[in-house]
Amino acid sequence: MKNRTYRKFILPSVFVLGSLAFPAQVFAQETKPAVADVNGKMDLQGGSVGREGSGAVGGTVSIPVAHSFAVQIDTALSHSPSANSGGVAGHFFTRDPDAYMAGLASMWIRIDGQDLWRNGVETEFYLDDYTLSSSLGLQNVGARDTGYGNIELGYYLNDDLFLKGGVSGYSDYRALYVGSEWRPMDDSPLSLFADVGAGTENGGFGTIGLRFSFGAENSNLKKQHREYDPPNIVTGFTSGSGGGGQAVNEIVNKREEEPAPAPAPLDAVEF
């Protein structure tokens, strides 16, 4: 009786569990990891954002968590005549480098003493030489909450030359931009990048920069983008395409418009 029960219930259960586990194991073996290895990059950029000269330095570190999951930390500091800013961002994502990336992102930037937060989702879809990227979430500055979003289409003219164009915005602000990244030498960690565009309220913006990558040796630009480090969203924000120039204008102009404190009455003044 025990042997019959074993054959009737236990063996089919083992077979079903095995049939479910086997495809999962094969799938994990057949797909590339979300991040091939610990890696990162450093950016140095300058140009004009919101009709002002602007400079920024940024960096990222990407770390695999499991085969299909990874985290990335972004950071950046920027300077313009109106304000200094600095911030940090975190990503947690899953990725199949031959198909897609999807994850959560959170960013904090301090602009001229004012905190700006963004929390949302981000995706990338890969089709041969095309990459479709998007982000969507909520933004908070002081007591003001609003949504933000971005959609971008990129194309690899070759494995070491990437062109892109997109639209981004938050609240009533919108920006259109185009950009590129080029690695001029094979087996080199250095690449050049540029972004140029225009916003609805704060004029045009244009930046150029130099990027140094580490931990992705012997990788072309396309492989580095899809198998190693996603973009730095903090420097993306400060370069103008994410609305950083407009955010600076809103924060600084709001403070300039605030009425000055009333002078103390004469009888309260000590001589």
Side-chain angles (χ1 to χ4, degrees):
M1 182 68 178
K2 290 182 180 180
N3 290 338
R4 184 177 300 176
T5 302
Y6 179 87
R7 289 193 300 267
K8 186 175 181 180
F9 296 102
I10 305 300
L11 289 179
S13 299
V14 171
F15 176 78
V16 170
L17 292 174
S19 65
L20 293 174
F22 180 73
Q25 183 177 6
V26 171
F27 178 78
Q29 292 175 347
E30 289 181 350
T31 60
K32 298 174 183 176
V35 167
D37 201 353
V38 176
N39 70 98
K41 58 178 178 278
M42 292 292 296
D43 295 347
L44 181 65
Q45 66 180 25
S48 174
V49 179
R51 301 189 183 97
E52 292 186 330
S54 176
V57 58
T60 70
V61 175
S62 303
I63 304 171
V65 174
H67 181 84
S68 299
F69 295 90
V71 296
Q72 178 169 298
I73 303 299
D74 305 340
T75 186
L77 295 171
S78 67
H79 170 76
S80 71
S82 292
N84 296 317
S85 64
V88 64
H91 310 249
F92 177 74
F93 59 93
T94 181
R95 177 166 62 180
D96 176 354
D98 293 323
Y100 69 90
M101 183 198 79
L104 304 174
S106 181
M107 180 179 73
W108 165 79
I109 295 180
R110 191 164 181 83
I111 303 171
D112 197 30
Q114 178 71 64
D115 294 326
L116 181 148
W117 290 89
R118 280 187 172 183
N119 297 288
V121 297
E122 55 186 1
T123 61
E124 293 181 353
F125 296 98
Y126 314 128
L127 180 61
D128 297 327
D129 292 326
Y130 291 92
T131 298
L132 179 64
S133 307
S134 67
S135 62
L136 181 69
L138 296 177
Q139 174 176 301
N140 171 269
V141 182
R144 184 186 181 194
D145 293 314
T146 184
Y148 74 88
N150 170 268
I151 187 166
E152 176 183 293
L153 180 63
Y155 176 71
Y156 292 91
L157 199 61
N158 59 55
D159 287 347
D160 281 314
L161 179 56
F162 180 62
L163 307 176
K164 65 181 181 179
V167 58
S168 64
Y170 67 89
S171 186
D172 296 328
Y173 175 75
R174 302 290 181 270
L176 293 170
Y177 65 92
V178 294
S180 64
E181 185 175 359
W182 175 46
R183 191 181 72 155
M185 297 177 289
D186 292 340
D187 301 326
S188 171
L190 297 176
S191 63
L192 305 172
F193 63 94
D195 292 282
V196 61
T200 54
E201 297 180 34
N202 70 326
F205 52 86
T207 58
I208 58 173
L210 179 66
R211 176 166 293 144
F212 176 83
S213 301
F214 56 91
E217 291 81 3
N218 301 320
S219 296
N220 57 48
L221 205 59
K222 183 178 180 181
K223 182 176 181 180
Q224 180 182 326
H225 288 173
R226 296 184 177 181
E227 298 184 24
Y228 288 90
D229 54 345
N232 184 332
I233 60 176
V234 184
T235 54
F237 181 82
T238 58
S239 69
S241 59
Q246 178 61 17
V248 169
N249 285 349
E250 290 178 359
I251 290 170
V252 173
N253 290 338
K254 182 179 178 182
R255 293 193 171 187
E256 289 178 348
E257 292 170 0
E258 291 177 352
L266 292 177
D267 58 359
V269 178
E270 295 182 0
F271 294 95

